[in-house]
């Protein structure tokens, strides 16, 4: 037996004990890309609110379109103050990104009721479910 044959046998014996992880890493990266592409990002309204407390609450299903109305009746979306006439266009664009999304309205304790009513009336034709009002747990 020559030295070349012995080296070939040692290499084949070493190869049998190792596992090739390349296919597993390929699958992990494909899954990562899939989850990044299919995820929807929540756009925060970007205003500090003191939400009213409620004793009874229900979770809002698929609520990812979030508007905030502060104590002065100003409307915020995606960290920007927006006028009422732009709310409809912003909601349409958000519905195109996430068709199953539902509207969530965050209000301050001092928010005038007419401001919330005007906001909901503006986007009502685009809604597939009733809008949700965000509240805090009652302590």
């Amino acid at each position: 037996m020559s030295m070349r044959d012995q080296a070939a046998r040692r290499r084949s014996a070493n190869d049998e004990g190792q596992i090739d992880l390349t296919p597993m890493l390929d699958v992990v990266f494909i899954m990562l890309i899939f989850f990044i592409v299919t995820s929807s990002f929540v756009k925060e309204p970007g205003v500090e609110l003191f939400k009213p407390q409620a004793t009874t609450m229900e979770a809002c299903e698929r609520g990812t379109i979030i508007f905030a109305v502060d104590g002065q009746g100003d409307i915020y979306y995606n960290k920007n103050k927006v006028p009422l006439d732009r709310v409809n266009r912003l909601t349409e664009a958000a519905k195109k990104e996430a068709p199953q999304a539902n509207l969530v309205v965050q209000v301050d304790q001092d928010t005038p009721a007419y401001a919330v009513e005007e906001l909901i009336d503006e986007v009502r034709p685009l809604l597939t479910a009733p809008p949700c009002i965000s509240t805090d747990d009652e302590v």
Side-chain angles (χ1 to χ4, degrees):
M1 183 186 276
S2 70
M3 297 276 276
R4 192 176 294 166
D5 292 336
Q6 288 177 351
R9 280 189 185 162
R10 272 191 236 130
R11 266 185 275 147
S12 66
N14 287 341
D15 288 346
E16 289 175 12
Q18 294 180 351
I19 298 174
D20 186 17
L21 296 178
T22 306
M24 184 182 74
L25 290 174
D26 289 343
V27 170
V28 169
F29 283 122
I30 289 171
M31 287 174 49
L32 179 67
I33 291 169
F34 173 77
F35 288 123
I36 289 172
V37 170
T38 59
S39 64
S40 64
F41 298 98
V42 176
K43 296 179 179 176
E44 292 292 326
V47 64
E48 184 71 29
L49 299 173
F50 296 104
K51 297 178 189 174
Q53 295 180 345
T55 55
T56 59
M57 301 185 308
E58 292 181 22
C60 186
E61 304 236 353
R62 299 182 307 266
T64 55
I65 304 172
I66 302 173
F67 284 97
V69 184
D70 67 4
Q72 288 78 33
D74 296 328
I75 301 169
Y76 292 86
Y77 178 75
N78 196 19
K79 300 181 182 174
N80 296 318
K81 183 178 169 182
V82 295
L84 185 62
D85 57 352
R86 281 197 49 217
V87 168
N88 199 349
R89 286 181 279 166
L90 291 170
T91 306
E92 278 183 29
K95 283 294 243 184
K96 285 181 184 175
E97 286 180 20
Q100 299 296 321
N102 195 15
L103 180 74
V104 176
V105 180
Q106 294 180 346
V107 295
D108 192 76
Q109 291 176 347
D110 300 326
T111 299
Y114 74 87
V116 177
E117 185 178 350
E118 287 176 348
L119 172 65
I120 293 174
D121 286 344
E122 187 71 27
V123 296
R124 191 176 308 277
L126 302 171
L127 300 179
T128 55
C132 301
I133 303 294
S134 179
T135 59
D136 280 337
D137 289 334
E138 189 171 71
V139 181

